[in-house]
Structure formats: C-alpha cells, structure tokens
C-alpha cells in the first residue's frame, strides 16, 4: 500500500502487571498516527493524533472509561494558518486537555485547550518555534502548579 495508508492508532493496556494485554483501535481512519496519551483524574484516557482530513490536522479522541474501547472523536483542533500536527497533550488539574503541535512544514508551534465541551477560541502561539512544543509537558506541569485549576 502507499505511504500513509492503513496506518492506525491502537490503545493497549494490561490489568495484571503485563502478563496479558488488551488492545482496541482508537480509529481505523487511514493515515492516522503520531499519537500521544494523557489520562485525566477520573481515569479517562485521551489520545491526540494527526489524521488525513484534507488537510492533515490534529484530532483529540477519548474513551468512555478506561479500557472500554468506546473511542469517540472529541474534536478537531481549530485551524491555524497551517494545520498543526506532531501532537503533545497533557491534562490539567481541572481535567482540561491541552493539545500542542506544529505545522508540517513549518516551525510555528501552537497549543489550545479542550474544556470538556469546546476548544478555547484561539490557538496560542509557542514563541514562533515548533521545537518549543517538545517542551510543552514541562511547561504545562509548571503552569498547572502555578495556576492550579485556572490552567
């Protein structure tokens, strides 16, 4: 098959210390990949990824409960001047999900926050550098610690 076809994202987990594993497909849409995982305080897993959707762009998915295998699309990341991919996600103390990424091609990193029902109105630029999104998790941990549930 051609490049990018039949590439899917799966979620695997073990409940017995790794002796056995369960797996379920997050999505079977072609050309999905570069996933990242975050779990909120109630145990709900979130997966950020990019998918081909004319153009390729960032998506956020969640399971109904941990291990249910009932994945649903939470939302498409709002458009930036160029759709951003290469995701990094983190969950704040109030269970908001922060999604960061950068365009392909390009180096202008952005992030946005899902509050459980919608995205914030605007994507926030990460200092004109996609490389900064690599450090997003450290940034978020500091921001969460400083701002608490306002993050």
């Amino acid at each position: 098959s051609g490049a990018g076809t039949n590439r899917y994202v799966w979620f695997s987990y073990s409940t017995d210390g790794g002796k056995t594993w369960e797996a379920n497909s997050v999505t079977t849409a072609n050309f999905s990949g570069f996933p990242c995982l975050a779990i909120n305080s109630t145990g709900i897993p979130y997966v950020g990824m990019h998918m081909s959707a004319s153009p390729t762009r960032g998506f956020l998915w969640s399971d109904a409960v941990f291990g249910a295998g009932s994945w649903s699309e939470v939302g498409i990341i709002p458009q930036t001047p160029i759709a951003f991919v290469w995701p990094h996600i983190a969950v704040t103390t109030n269970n908001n999900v922060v999604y960061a990424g950068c365009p392909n091609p390009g180096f202008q990193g952005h992030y946005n926050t899902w509050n459980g029902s919608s995205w914030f109105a605007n994507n926030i630029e990460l200092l004109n550098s996609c490389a900064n999104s690599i450090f997003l998790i450290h940034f978020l941990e500091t921001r969460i610690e400083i701002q608490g549930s306002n993050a």
Side-chain angles (χ1 to χ4, degrees), residues 40-41 90-96 140-141 143-145 147-151:
N40 75 11
S41 65
V91 176
T92 63
T93 55
N94 62 349
N95 287 327
N96 286 343
L140 289 175
E141 288 171 351
R143 182 171 177 233
I144 291 165
E145 187 175 312
Q147 296 182 353
S149 62
N150 293 323

Side-chain angles (χ1 to χ4, degrees), residues 29-78:
N30 280 340
F31 194 67
S32 57
F34 297 94
C36 52
L37 173 71
I39 299 175
N40 75 11
S41 65
T42 64
I44 303 293
Y46 288 87
V47 172
M49 69 182 80
H50 71 237
M51 294 173 26
S52 179
S54 296
T56 298
R57 45 199 290 190
F59 287 78
L60 184 65
W61 290 69
S62 71
D63 202 352
V65 296
F66 189 91
S70 298
W71 291 91
S72 59
E73 181 184 305
V74 170
I76 300 170
I77 309 308

Side-chain angles (χ1 to χ4, degrees), residues 22-151:
E22 299 290 329
N24 46 63
S25 175
V26 175
T27 176
T28 57
N30 280 340
F31 194 67
S32 57
F34 297 94
C36 52
L37 173 71
I39 299 175
N40 75 11
S41 65
T42 64
I44 303 293
Y46 288 87
V47 172
M49 69 182 80
H50 71 237
M51 294 173 26
S52 179
S54 296
T56 298
R57 45 199 290 190
F59 287 78
L60 184 65
W61 290 69
S62 71
D63 202 352
V65 296
F66 189 91
S70 298
W71 291 91
S72 59
E73 181 184 305
V74 170
I76 300 170
I77 309 308
Q79 279 292 96
T80 56
I82 301 173
F84 63 85
V85 293
W86 317 121
H88 299 276
I89 63 172
V91 176
T92 63
T93 55
N94 62 349
N95 287 327
N96 286 343
V97 180
V98 180
Y99 186 114
C102 37
N104 184 23
F107 294 99
Q108 187 178 22
H110 286 83
Y111 75 94
N112 203 322
T113 303
W114 174 258
N115 67 12
S117 60
S118 64
W119 293 100
F120 285 9
N122 297 309
N123 295 317
I124 308 299
E125 189 173 340
L126 287 171
L127 304 174
N128 291 315
S129 173
C130 184
N132 287 317
S133 70
I134 295 169
F135 302 104
L136 175 72
I137 300 306
H138 300 294
F139 162 76
L140 289 175
E141 288 171 351
T142 302
R143 182 171 177 233
I144 291 165
E145 187 175 312
I146 292 169
Q147 296 182 353
S149 62
N150 293 323

Side-chain angles (χ1 to χ4, degrees), residues 6-30:
N6 300 320
R7 188 175 77 184
Y8 311 122
V9 173
W10 288 77
F11 176 74
S12 299
Y13 63 94
S14 176
T15 57
D16 59 8
K19 293 178 184 172
T20 61
W21 288 85
E22 299 290 329
N24 46 63
S25 175
V26 175
T27 176
T28 57
N30 280 340

